[in-house]
Amino acid sequence: MLTFRGGVHPREDKEATEHKSVEVLPLPARVFIPLSQHTGAPSKAVVAKGSLVKTGTLIGEPAGRISAATHASVSGTVADVSDLPHPLTGRRGPTVVIDSDGADTPDDALGERDYSGFTNEQIVETLRLSGVVGLGGAAFPTYFKLTPPKEKPIDTLLINGCECEPFLTADHRLMLEQPAEMVEGVKIMSRVLGVQNVMIVIEDNKPDAVATMTSAAASSGFKVRKLRTKYPQGAEKQLIKACLKREVPSGGLPMDVGCVVQNVGTALAVRDALRLNRPLYERVTTVTGPAIKEPKNLRVRIGTPVKELLQFCGGYAAEVGKLIMGGPMMGIAVSTDEVPVLKGTSGVLVLDRAATVFDEHDCIRCGRCIEACPMGLAPQRLNNLIRRGQLEAAKAEHVKDCIECGCCAYACPAKIRLVHQFKYAKSELAAMERK
Amino acid sequence: MRVLRLRLPGKDPVGAPVQVRQVRTRGNGAQVSTDPKVKAEAEVKAEAKETGLPPSSTSTLTSPLVVAASPHVRSQASVSRIMWVVAIALLPALGGSVYFFGLKSLLLVAISVASSMLFDALTQRAFGRKPTPFDGSAAVTGLLLAYNLPPGVPLWMPVVGAAFATVVVKQFFGGLGHNFINPALAARAFLMVSWPTHMTTMWLKPFGTAPLSGIDAVSGATPLAFVRRAAELVPQGMDLNELLRQANSLAELKRLFLGNIGGCLGETSALLLLIGALFLIIIRVVDWRIPVAYIGTVIVLALVLPNNPMTYSFHVLSGGIILGAFFMATDYVTSPVTGKGRIIFGIGCGLITMLIRLYGGYPEGCSYSILLMNVATPLIDRLTRPRLFGAVKKTKAAK
């Protein structure tokens, strides 16, 4: 079966939510919408304190070559536009706060339409203004991926339904519940890219999703492929290697090997943006973990404080140790449950206190990190260099190629915080280069 | 990276001033204190004092959260679990040793393990490290050390060996993970040069009902020593061909495989060692590459090298190759970390073992081969870096 070198097999822990249909979270009273929820430049606020907005109204326009628009996720009044700490980075950035009027009045522009006459340029522009970004976690603006430069011809579109992070089931549920809409979104993207070879790839731990997508895609000519369940099967570079046997060059992008990868949830968002003219103001996210009473998959408005999701799921079941935006392998631990859901929030994971503290030992050179690294790095060696402060040496040993998938630290019997070290080294190196 | 602790004090995260606490950690940074709760609570209080705001917020959390870099789940593997699993895998061979050489074996092993753990912990305490006698590593060192002793040695020998292994070889260099040669083997080499007579003549005949003192139960050479001495025996009227025929006979090989021979405590029974080793390979604690490369090299060299009177199976089964290849060459700390490096390491061990056996001054080269390759490990690691994902195409693109 299709796969790649390296990787690990963490416990899947998906049972709690994989059979639960997506529920709609009641409207929050107040939303906090950061204008930077995507890779690239933050969008620029086009509303001010006191502005009246409807659901789906543009509140931030894309600013720069790589950027995405931001929209109101509820109707009501803008309570403030100010610099608040970003939930993931902690850096202050412009955030639009909206008090909901509870009516959820849709913006006038929203509504079903026929987009069949759209040119590719119109479709791309629609996606740019709809604020559609990759929903798999990294939140890369979708329109940008769909407009590769001419010198990089694209021959394959991969639709990523792997959802290889343990605990998360949002993509899985969407594949089961909206397969036809998803395929429509895939058609739109393949049309814009002009590619014939389209593969929808799903890990073999979701046979029901494979079956559903296969029948939904039957008439489209898209191939649905099963991949061996292994983390990080859904990482872009590993996915391309597994499916096409092509290696994205170090420091390169999928388009360098003629490939574009889009998440299944993104395909759905693309379809909604075109067919319904509905910008990306909500997403489906998995709320799960051992310290939450009732794990669920929820359709949530962007900007909803996480604590409202948790309350809707019955509240905490145990003393909380860690609250994680995303999955357990790559998600970001946050320090409060007041942070808002972002476009890239594929899950909210609540771990109990026992699961959060690991005793670190000295490295015993077992080599498991090297075996686990899907990028062909030597994490143990990099760790030594970084701890000695030899950042240039770490750079020469390709620390910047680390995709922070967490396989090395997961496998490490000494529980060394390897990813922590690499993130530190990468940010220090980036800072040195900026100077 | 920057690790951030955010806290939004006050009822209204918008209206109230927001405290952003940036804790910048260095590369070695454990950003979470051993008791994060206590530390974070103290911070909350300090903040409340600074800002004059109540520490409460609209958050529904009752206690502070741990903020650390991903991944947030870890595998079940741990250092001590690995060490104890290795110790367990070594136990069948101990059973064999007791069966063949009597209870003296058990006593030697017990002394060796206990003194290793004790010296390890004492040195750690003396150096201000946290004593970890029960992490399993000292126990494994003690077991391996005892397994490398002739069963007839006096009881103080494992004590001296354990002291050298744990204090000098292991803790002087920084403790578990930092020693550059295998502690048990280094101790064996140390005992070998210090008390050569004890280390090379205190063999017991299997099934000997040796009294616990053991001193008066010395007898018979090991198969390898027997072969080495063949040249001396011939002038005394022995028929060399007959000697070799005996040594290479199927019955002799069977005895070697089962362990019914003279030799070091733990190395006699290939069968019992292989049971433990196979278990370790199946649960992936031991990488198959080193033993396969090691033993494969021994077999190939036994077939091709001149001046070798013995069959390859005799070479594999006699002496400490099985014990060395599966349990000592595979020591994580002192062997290469990469797959390719481990193959090179194994080949090197096999090569040196055979050179010593056939052309050197000792009958047995196993422990020295591993020690020498231990020293070469950093070099091998350097030469066998894993292949970077996407590296080939990058160089092409650069041209």
Side-chain angles (χ1 to χ4, degrees):
Chain A
M1 208 177 302
L2 304 173
T3 191
F4 61 97
R5 185 207 156 278
V8 290
H9 294 95
R11 218 173 62 179
E12 288 170 30
D13 283 314
K14 295 188 190 249
E15 332 60 69
T17 51
E18 66 185 335
H19 302 298
K20 287 190 184 166
S21 304
V22 175
E23 289 178 56
V24 177
L25 183 78
L27 277 189
R30 178 173 253 200
V31 289
F32 301 84
I33 306 176
L35 293 179
S36 173
Q37 299 187 39
H38 47 264
T39 310
S43 56
K44 202 167 126 260
V46 294
V47 290
K49 189 169 177 172
S51 303
L52 291 177
V53 292
K54 294 178 179 170
T55 306
T57 302
L58 185 81
I59 55 171
E61 59 183 15
R65 207 165 65 94
I66 306 179
S67 188
T70 316
H71 300 80
S73 57
V74 292
S75 60
T77 318
V78 173
D80 203 1
V81 180
S82 65
D83 281 357
L84 291 181
H86 193 275
L88 302 184
T89 64
R91 277 189 282 276
R92 280 165 183 270
T95 303
V96 177
V97 185
I98 302 169
D99 279 330
S100 170
D101 58 12
D104 197 21
T105 321
D107 194 81
D108 308 331
L110 271 67
E112 195 153 346
R113 67 179 167 190
D114 178 18
Y115 61 90
S116 54
F118 277 29
T119 63
N120 284 351
E121 287 69 31
Q122 276 174 304
I123 292 176
V124 168
E125 187 59 13
T126 304
L127 292 176
R128 197 172 79 95
L129 294 176
S130 303
V132 179
V133 301
L135 298 184
F140 199 86
T142 301
Y143 77 89
F144 196 80
K145 277 192 179 179
L146 294 181
T147 49
K150 285 226 165 51
E151 64 274 16
K152 311 241 174 191
I154 302 299
D155 59 30
T156 307
L157 172 63
L158 290 177
I159 302 299
N160 186 355
C162 286
E163 199 164 48
C164 58
E165 276 267 8
F167 284 105
L168 305 189
T169 57
D171 286 351
H172 186 178
R173 289 312 307 178
L174 286 178
M175 286 189 276
L176 293 179
E177 293 175 26
Q178 294 181 278
E181 291 90 334
M182 209 174 261
V183 170
E184 189 181 340
V186 178
K187 277 185 189 149
I188 295 167
M189 292 192 283
S190 69
R191 187 191 129 187
V192 173
L193 289 167
V195 297
Q196 301 302 313
N197 189 23
V198 179
M199 285 165 84
I200 301 168
V201 289
I202 304 165
E203 280 192 333
D204 62 358
N205 61 354
K206 307 179 225 349
D208 49 351
V210 175
T212 313
M213 291 306 289
T214 307
S215 61
S219 61
S220 62
F222 303 155
K223 284 167 264 182
V224 178
R225 286 287 178 78
K226 258 196 299 193
L227 290 177
R228 218 178 107 195
T229 302
K230 173 160 114 177
Y231 180 86
Q233 193 66 264
E236 233 173 31
K237 292 181 177 185
Q238 277 61 40
L239 195 64
I240 294 168
K241 174 76 175 178
C243 299
L244 304 172
K245 303 278 165 274
R246 297 179 197 167
E247 271 187 33
V248 178
S250 167
L253 291 170
M255 63 172 68
D256 294 329
V257 290
C259 196
V260 166
V261 182
Q262 298 279 6
N263 167 272
V264 284
T266 313
L268 204 52
V270 166
R271 179 261 178 196
D272 288 350
L274 268 299
R275 165 74 69 187
L276 308 175
N277 197 19
R278 183 203 285 165
L280 185 66
Y281 60 76
E282 64 177 10
R283 69 157 296 146
V284 171
T285 191
T286 306
V287 181
T288 185
I292 193 79
K293 278 221 178 72
E294 250 184 281
K296 287 173 191 234
N297 289 301
L298 296 178
R299 185 174 293 280
V300 183
R301 297 297 164 91
I302 304 297
T304 309
V306 164
K307 65 172 185 239
E308 300 208 9
L309 279 63
L310 301 175
Q311 275 160 1
F312 187 71
C313 292
Y316 299 113
E319 200 190 350
V320 186
K322 253 187 200 176
L323 190 61
I324 296 150
M325 305 281 277
M329 296 300 284
M330 289 189 75
I332 309 256
V334 293
S335 65
T336 163
D337 57 7
E338 291 176 81
V339 296
V341 169
L342 305 177
K343 290 177 180 178
T345 306
S346 46
V348 175
L349 176 60
V350 197
L351 296 179
D352 50 36
R353 193 161 280 282
T356 50
V357 182
F358 304 101
D359 254 355
E360 197 176 278
H361 281 260
D362 284 353
C363 172
I364 55 166
R365 297 171 40 84
C366 65
R368 286 170 197 217
C369 55
I370 293 176
E371 215 174 304
C373 181
M375 294 306 290
L377 303 174
Q380 162 262 351
R381 202 177 151 74
L382 288 173
N383 176 49
N384 286 345
L385 293 172
I386 296 164
R387 285 190 187 217
R388 281 190 235 124
Q390 294 172 306
L391 291 175
E392 287 295 332
K395 187 179 163 189
E397 300 235 355
H398 311 289
V399 68
K400 281 161 80 185
D401 281 271
C402 170
I403 57 170
E404 298 173 21
C405 65
C407 289
C408 54
Y410 174 83
C412 179
K415 312 290 170 211
I416 297 169
R417 297 179 183 91
L418 293 161
V419 177
H420 175 93
Q421 299 291 335
F422 306 152
K423 284 183 173 183
Y424 159 78
K426 283 162 77 174
S427 77
E428 286 294 297
L429 285 167
M432 276 152 66
E433 272 155 34
R434 274 198 299 272
K435 271 177 202 160
Chain B
M1 77 166 267
R2 291 193 183 99
V3 175
L4 301 143
R5 290 229 181 93
L6 318 184
R7 190 161 293 110
L8 310 177
K11 284 223 154 53
D12 183 350
V14 177
V18 177
Q19 280 281 317
V20 183
R21 178 148 300 222
Q22 295 205 353
V23 183
R24 196 176 161 130
T25 60
R26 260 203 49 127
N28 58 5
Q31 74 288 11
V32 182
S33 84
T34 43
D35 189 346
K37 195 176 166 183
V38 173
K39 199 174 174 190
E41 268 168 7
E43 247 167 48
V44 173
K45 275 179 203 152
E47 243 165 47
K49 220 174 179 182
E50 272 169 34
T51 59
L53 286 162
S56 67
S57 69
T58 53
S59 168
T60 48
L61 289 163
T62 52
S63 62
L65 295 169
V66 176
V67 180
S70 57
H72 308 289
V73 288
R74 301 297 188 99
S75 63
Q76 294 292 308
S78 76
V79 172
S80 62
R81 187 183 287 215
I82 288 171
M83 294 295 167
W84 284 114
V85 163
V86 173
I88 288 166
L90 281 164
L91 291 183
L94 175 61
S97 185
V98 173
Y99 177 69
F100 290 120
F101 301 122
L103 278 175
K104 169 92 187 277
S105 311
L106 197 58
L107 188 62
L108 280 172
V109 169
I111 290 173
S112 181
V113 170
S115 46
S116 287
M117 287 164 73
L118 182 71
F119 287 128
D120 204 40
L122 285 178
T123 329
Q124 281 174 320
R125 168 160 290 190
F127 287 172
R129 299 182 190 131
K130 192 178 149 225
T132 53
F134 299 105
D135 69 0
S137 67
V140 168
T141 298
L143 275 172
L144 289 173
L145 172 66
Y147 283 16
N148 275 295
L149 299 175
V153 294
L155 299 180
W156 54 262
M157 282 204 76
V159 180
V160 174
F164 186 80
T166 54
V167 178
V168 179
V169 184
K170 188 175 163 194
Q171 295 299 344
F172 275 13
F173 286 89
L176 179 60
H178 301 286
N179 49 296
F180 70 101
I181 49 175
N182 186 315
L185 282 177
R188 177 196 156 102
F190 167 72
L191 296 176
M192 194 85 153
V193 293
S194 306
W195 293 277
T197 328
H198 289 78
M199 288 298 285
T200 54
T201 59
M202 299 249 169
W203 312 113
L204 295 187
K205 265 205 178 125
F207 300 119
T209 46
L212 284 181
S213 74
I215 302 294
D216 55 347
V218 177
S219 82
T222 66
L224 275 171
F226 171 75
V227 171
R228 177 148 303 273
R229 277 170 50 205
E232 304 161 25
L233 294 170
V234 173
Q236 296 166 21
M238 299 278 283
D239 178 1
L240 181 65
N241 288 331
E242 175 58 20
L243 270 173
L244 295 179
R245 199 193 59 72
Q246 260 181 35
N248 286 328
S249 69
L250 213 57
E252 177 66 17
L253 292 178
K254 196 175 147 203
R255 287 206 314 133
L256 282 169
F257 184 68
L258 293 176
N260 187 8
I261 42 161
C264 286
L265 226 153
E267 71 186 22
T268 57
S269 174
L271 175 68
L272 294 173
L273 285 169
L274 284 173
I275 289 171
L278 209 62
F279 166 67
L280 290 183
I281 288 173
I282 288 168
I283 64 165
R284 308 195 72 171
V285 163
V286 157
D287 189 350
W288 57 271
R289 290 182 183 87
I290 291 178
V292 167
Y294 189 165
I295 292 170
T297 305
V298 167
I299 291 173
V300 169
L301 292 179
L303 292 172
V304 302
L305 281 182
N307 296 338
N308 172 26
M310 312 309 295
T311 60
Y312 68 86
S313 34
F314 179 89
H315 272 294
V316 172
L317 294 173
S318 66
I321 286 188
I322 301 280
L323 178 66
F326 286 97
F327 290 98
M328 294 194 289
T330 54
D331 169 30
Y332 290 146
V333 179
T334 55
S335 64
V337 285
T338 59
K340 232 188 297 173
R342 286 171 175 176
I343 288 174
I344 296 172
F345 184 89
I347 292 173
C349 288
L351 184 69
I352 299 172
T353 301
M354 289 306 279
L355 290 179
I356 294 178
R357 279 191 179 185
L358 296 180
Y359 312 111
Y362 285 103
E364 161 69 317
C366 184
S367 47
Y368 291 103
S369 75
I370 296 171
L371 285 171
L372 284 168
M373 291 310 292
N374 285 166
V375 181
T377 291
L379 179 67
I380 296 172
D381 271 343
R382 189 171 284 266
L383 295 176
T384 57
R385 293 188 190 149
R387 194 189 76 86
L388 180 72
F389 185 100
V392 177
K393 281 174 189 158
K394 189 192 176 189
T395 41
K396 266 187 202 160
K399 271 172 195 169

